[in-house]
Amino acid sequence: MDGPQPPTRRSVVIGGAAGVVGVVAAVVVATWGRGGSADGETGAPDALQASLDALPVGGTLTISEPVERSTSLTVVRAVTIRFTGAGAIRMTADQDAVVVRASDVRIVAPEITGVGAPSGGRSNAITVRGKRSTPLSDVRISGGHLRDVPRDGVHVEYADRVVVERVSVARVGYAGVLLLGVTDSVVQDSVVSDIRQRADEVNSYGITVTRDATAGTAVTRRSSGVRVLRNRVSGVPAWEGIDTHAGDRIEIRDNVVSGCRVGIAAVPSKSATDRGTTDVAPTGLVIAGNRVTRTGALAAGSGIVVSGAGTTVGSTAPRATGSVTGNTVTGAGGTDAGGILVKLTRGLTVADNAIVSSVDDAIAVEHSNAALTVRGNRITGVSGDAVAIDVRSAANDGRITGNRVDRTEPRVRVGLRFGDRTNRFVVSGNTFSGATVHESDGGAHITR
């Protein structure tokens, strides 16, 4: 075939059974020949977009052959787009491949190739774009491969009940999956790798759950109730594997993160009126059961970091809350970092984690942590300054109980170190015999 073939249209019965009236829906199957385009690059009309526009609510567009496009395929009603066989979209221009502007949309097994991560472009493979005032809902992206994309693999703004599952994203310029102002959603069982941060960007992410910080939360809402489950994220050498900025009730569980400068970060969002500070903290966090591995070739970075808003010791800005439990962190730390680092928190629990081969500090307790619990963690090997639990700065209080430092060669230098007299902690039941110096109290107020 020398060019695009007309789509065929047929009716099928969905849900028909004995005693049940079936619903008739239109199914459009677009088949494209070799050498053709699906969007008028050769002067033809955009037949693929026309086929999509012709679908009724509940219809399905099947893409079964490879197509090249220079414009976005835009979804404006509740339909399914299904890629089968050799079906794929390859972009020839810096445009989002698929843009969803409707609720109740399904995209199944998408095969999308962009114009290249190093291209300097701003396009995404799949964009789901709701509005602040009228968010979308019930969008599901399942399976498939998204690759060589200038910015994000999956980019979602202002939507509820979104599911991103079993998607593979590789070689993108900013984020594998980005959720902004999204609620009650899940990113699960997906693979994100090789994030190629551009020179003009200051950060990049495997998966990020964030908000628009150019206005207050009354205008640009926080992401909330989002679960990030069982994903594999690797190769974010310049920044963070999994991130939330100011998310509420974000659950990051059972993920495997490797080759990232920072493994998992839960941090505040910037102030809309003073970009030099932060004013919305992550709250209700669950960071559990993850495996984070960092290599020494990367710049210093924490395996897991949790930070509330503000900058100064004792800041009255909102504090981060939640728990960090049952994680295994290997090889993280260095200057201004730790295997696990916490600051500006309230009521945070750091418990039952295994922290292995850290640099400088295994658990770094920075400033301004109120009612902090550090319990039942096992620390094996710390190089550099070689401190197992380092309460570095001031305005911290809480409990440090039941932690263990294994004996290694070379030995951990200090099991528990306090750096300021204003710190107040209950310390009991710890096993620091694997450290040369069990405790260095720094004049802190300690209750046994």
Side-chain angles (χ1 to χ4, degrees):
M1 293 181 290
D2 295 327
Q5 301 300 301
T8 60
R9 185 182 182 98
R10 66 179 185 269
S11 294
V12 298
V13 177
I14 300 174
V20 178
V21 177
V23 178
V24 178
V27 179
V28 175
V29 180
T31 303
W32 308 100
R34 296 177 183 175
S37 72
D39 67 341
E41 287 185 313
T42 59
D46 189 344
L48 186 59
Q49 183 68 61
S51 296
L52 179 60
D53 292 343
L55 286 176
V57 170
T60 296
L61 173 68
T62 298
I63 300 175
S64 58
E65 295 290 339
V67 296
E68 291 186 350
R69 294 184 60 81
S70 61
T71 59
S72 301
L73 186 65
T74 303
V75 184
V76 295
R77 61 178 58 86
V79 297
T80 296
I81 299 176
R82 186 181 303 275
F83 292 69
T84 64
I89 292 175
R90 185 175 74 83
M91 299 304 295
T92 60
D94 182 29
Q95 298 290 324
D96 297 351
V98 178
V99 177
V100 177
R101 298 185 181 277
S103 298
D104 297 294
V105 169
R106 305 289 182 267
I107 301 176
V108 182
E111 295 289 332
I112 297 174
T113 302
V115 295
S119 67
R122 311 295 295 179
S123 57
N124 310 312
I126 299 174
T127 296
V128 179
R129 181 160 288 132
K131 298 178 180 179
R132 296 174 184 174
S133 57
T134 53
L136 300 179
S137 62
D138 300 292
V139 175
R140 181 181 292 264
I141 302 167
S142 303
H145 300 83
L146 315 175
R147 58 181 72 85
D148 300 314
V149 180
R151 190 166 173 85
D152 304 335
V154 177
H155 178 105
V156 183
E157 298 180 10
Y158 299 106
D160 307 322
R161 299 184 300 279
V162 173
V163 176
V164 179
E165 60 185 357
R166 304 187 307 279
V167 179
S168 174
V169 183
R171 301 187 301 275
V172 302
Y174 187 73
V177 178
L178 183 148
L179 308 183
L180 184 149
V182 171
T183 70
D184 301 323
S185 299
V186 63
V187 180
Q188 62 188 5
D189 303 313
S190 294
V191 177
V192 177
S193 63
D194 197 1
I195 307 301
R196 302 181 178 186
Q197 181 174 314
R198 297 172 7 167
D200 61 342
E201 296 283 6
V202 298
N203 44 37
S204 53
Y205 307 95
I207 300 169
T208 180
V209 182
T210 187
R211 63 175 294 266
D212 177 0
T214 60
T217 55
V219 177
T220 58
R221 69 183 188 180
R222 303 164 71 185
S223 288
S224 64
V226 176
R227 296 172 295 154
V228 181
L229 310 175
R230 302 181 304 276
N231 302 285
R232 300 180 69 88
V233 178
S234 63
V236 193
W239 207 235
E240 296 166 356
I242 299 175
D243 160 272
T244 181
H245 275 66
D248 178 47
R249 296 178 292 110
I250 307 301
E251 179 181 354
I252 302 171
R253 186 186 294 274
D254 295 337
N255 302 280
V256 177
V257 181
S258 62
C260 304
R261 180 177 177 182
V262 175
I264 298 171
V267 295
S269 61
K270 290 184 177 181
S271 167
T273 56
D274 180 0
R275 305 301 285 173
T277 190
T278 56
D279 61 3
V280 184
T283 53
L285 296 162
V286 175
I287 302 174
N290 303 284
R291 287 188 288 140
V292 178
T293 304
R294 178 184 161 277
T295 64
L298 299 172
S302 298
I304 298 172
V305 58
V306 177
S307 174
T311 55
T312 59
V313 174
S315 171
T316 58
R319 300 288 180 94
T321 64
S323 61
V324 180
T325 61
N327 303 282
T328 299
V329 178
T330 302
T335 304
D336 297 324
I340 297 173
L341 183 147
V342 299
K343 64 179 178 180
L344 291 157
T345 71
R346 186 177 306 280
L348 185 73
T349 296
V350 179
D352 303 318
N353 301 285
I355 305 115
V356 182
S357 301
S358 304
V359 180
D360 293 338
D361 295 334
I363 299 177
V365 179
E366 285 277 6
H367 65 83
S368 312
N369 296 281
L372 174 68
T373 297
V374 180
R375 182 187 69 240
N377 300 285
R378 183 171 182 175
I379 296 162
T380 305
V382 189
S383 60
D385 285 352
V387 181
I389 302 173
D390 195 358
V391 186
R392 297 179 178 177
S393 188
N396 299 293
D397 64 78
R399 302 176 66 85
I400 300 175
T401 62
N403 301 283
R404 174 178 173 178
V405 177
D406 291 338
R407 182 159 187 157
T408 55
E409 291 298 338
R411 295 185 70 175
V412 173
R413 191 168 63 88
V414 182
L416 172 61
R417 180 171 69 182
F418 291 94
D420 192 273
R421 292 177 178 273
T422 63
N423 294 305
R424 303 174 67 87
F425 278 87
V426 173
V427 178
S428 66
N430 300 288
T431 304
F432 293 142
S433 56
T436 301
V437 176
H438 295 184
E439 294 181 16
S440 175
D441 65 22
H445 186 280
I446 296 173
T447 302
R448 303 289 179 180

